[in-house]
Amino acid sequence: MSLALDLKSRDVDFLLLEAGDGHIDHPKVGTVGPRSMEFFRGWGLANRIRKAGWPDDHPLDIAWVTAVGGHEIYRIEFGTTGMRLPPDHTPEPEQVCPQHWLMPLLTESLGTHPDGPVRLRWRVDEIDQHDDGVTVTATVGDTGEVATVTAAYVVACDGANSPIRKRCGVPVRSHHRTQVFRNILFRAPRLRAQLGESAALVYFLTSPTMLRYPLRSMDGEALYRLTASGQDASAMRDAEELVRAAIALDTPVRVLSDATWHLTHRVAERYRTGRVLFAGDAAHTLSPSGGFGMNTGIADAANLGWKLAAVLAGWAGPGLLDSYEAERMPVAVASLEQSNHNLRRTLRRELSPSIMLDNADGAAARSSLAAQLESGGVRREFDAPDIHFGYRYRSTLIVDDPTEKDTETWSTSALPGGRAPHVWIHPGMSTLDLFGRGFVLLSFQSSPNTERLQQAFAEYQIPLAICEIDQADVAQNYGRPHVVVRPDGHVAWRGTDLPVNPETLANRVRGG
Ligand SMILES: Cc1cc2nc3c(=O)[nH]c(=O)nc-3n(C[C@H](O)[C@H](O)[C@H](O)COP(=O)(O)OP(=O)(O)OC[C@H]3O[C@@H](n4cnc5c(N)ncnc54)[C@H](O)[C@@H]3O)c2cc1C
């Protein structure tokens, strides 16, 4: 869906074939991360996602508890959507918007057949690459009607099992052990009111014998999701029994669904084979601990969309499409390792058998765990701007800055390969709003060579906008008088003077 939004913003002619009917019964994703929200801002959807339904006054806190409504051990406070202070580094903080709200919203904004490019209930069965295109065979709806579509490229965004990736014979490498979990979705209509001030977004359970994973509020009202391990699932098979064990209060509950899933840490060995590319879970699956999974896929889409558009428009160099794998695969591996680190932190936690007791021993065990959590880096699982924003692309498209200083970090400067920083230009308008369609040259100092750079880009037909900015805080954040930013908002080049050979730079950023 994100790739479709990006392609649509670039006027690319495409179809999106989706086997499902557009509805999500059992939402996996709960929160849209801040970098993804920035992309949605660019695609014109951030405000709709913010208004999708999450209550402005519901706490976004993470609480470690013996059971929901039982003893609270530790809490990380994040305020509420309505009251939190926006961070300096982004105009778009993360937003709770579970998948059963997000997917229909994205589908509607793209449009379904006959008004839009989305074909729901089209299941891709076969894929056949030839010299000048790819032919896809799909089964449509319940009728069994078979349809074929021929396209210049196919991007397989068909999830962790990716039938298309398998058909293309691209193996995946598993980085860590697979584990089995169970997600139980349930309604508890009175729980929010019963919890009052002690409500949180996520409750980390701390039972020493079972249930040590999150129970989270999905919609801020009555819908919740409990994650249990495969072990918990076999010890207590009944879903309602597990939910009741996780909640200390007497409250009505109704189980809606109960799904077993495999937590895998896998990255495809290639992101491209000929005219077929892989994105999202088809390319990588990460542990949900950290909430990077969908966000990594959305950033794949933002990286790939402009490259495909450039190829189709005829200004891409021969290396542009291959740079997708070179740039995105290392990010998937790094996010996978961070997610696994978060998961191991939870798995390795030693929980005292007395932690559930309502006596002095229980209180001592709980304060010891609280001290452990305080010093154990648990916040990183929920607040990791360096993972969401800090990665830098290191491909042949990116020109290193030889004068880069070790002290520079992602949040303070426009390091080549990194995300160009956000600074407010005026209320409501961020530097990020300047990027999106073509390349942008940000100049904080006039240069006689600007026209030459413009000509060099024009010779390759690369879209380039020149943006002269006379604002000290923006200049300071960007660190050099001239910065070239790509259509995906990443810095391609920066320098004190515009290059003497602008043709070399223009050719390089287009993958020449
Ligand atoms: C419990 C859990 C919690 C998570 N929480 C978060 C979170 O908070 N934040 C986060 O960023 N990530 C989270 N994730 C990860 C996230 O759910 C995935 O990374 C994300 O959904 C992947 O999106 P995708 O579009 O690549 O794949 P999917 O969401 O799997 O979508 C693939 C689509 O392809 C369709 N399809 C499959 N085969 C075909 C075919 N042959 N023809 C046509 N269509 C086909 C399917 O119907 C499906 O709609 C979580 C994952 C789990 C398991």
Side-chain angles (χ1 to χ4, degrees), residues 29-40 50 92-96 291 294-295 298 388-389:
V29 177
T31 302
V32 183
R35 182 62 179 139
S36 298
M37 285 302 294
E38 291 181 354
F39 290 128
F40 282 121
R50 295 211 183 280
E92 297 289 350
E94 65 180 22
Q95 175 67 40
V96 181
M294 178 184 71
N295 296 298
I298 291 174
H388 286 285
F389 298 102

Side-chain angles (χ1 to χ4, degrees), residues 17-20 28-31 99 103 122-125 157-160 163-164 183 216 225 227 261 279-282 284 286 288 291-296:
L17 310 184
E18 162 58 51
K28 294 182 286 186
V29 177
T31 302
Q99 213 176 1
M103 173 95 158
W122 278 54
R123 194 192 65 231
V124 174
D125 298 320
C157 305
D158 50 349
I164 299 179
N183 272 0
R216 78 170 274 164
R225 189 185 66 206
T227 300
W261 55 282
D281 276 22
H284 43 69
L286 335 175
F292 308 130
M294 178 184 71
N295 296 298
T296 310

Side-chain angles (χ1 to χ4, degrees), residues 179-200:
Q179 291 177 63
V180 180
F181 284 89
R182 186 172 166 188
N183 272 0
I184 300 163
L185 194 72
F186 65 96
R187 283 181 68 78
R190 293 207 204 129
L191 188 57
R192 169 75 184 95
Q194 284 172 293
L195 288 167
E197 296 282 290
S198 67

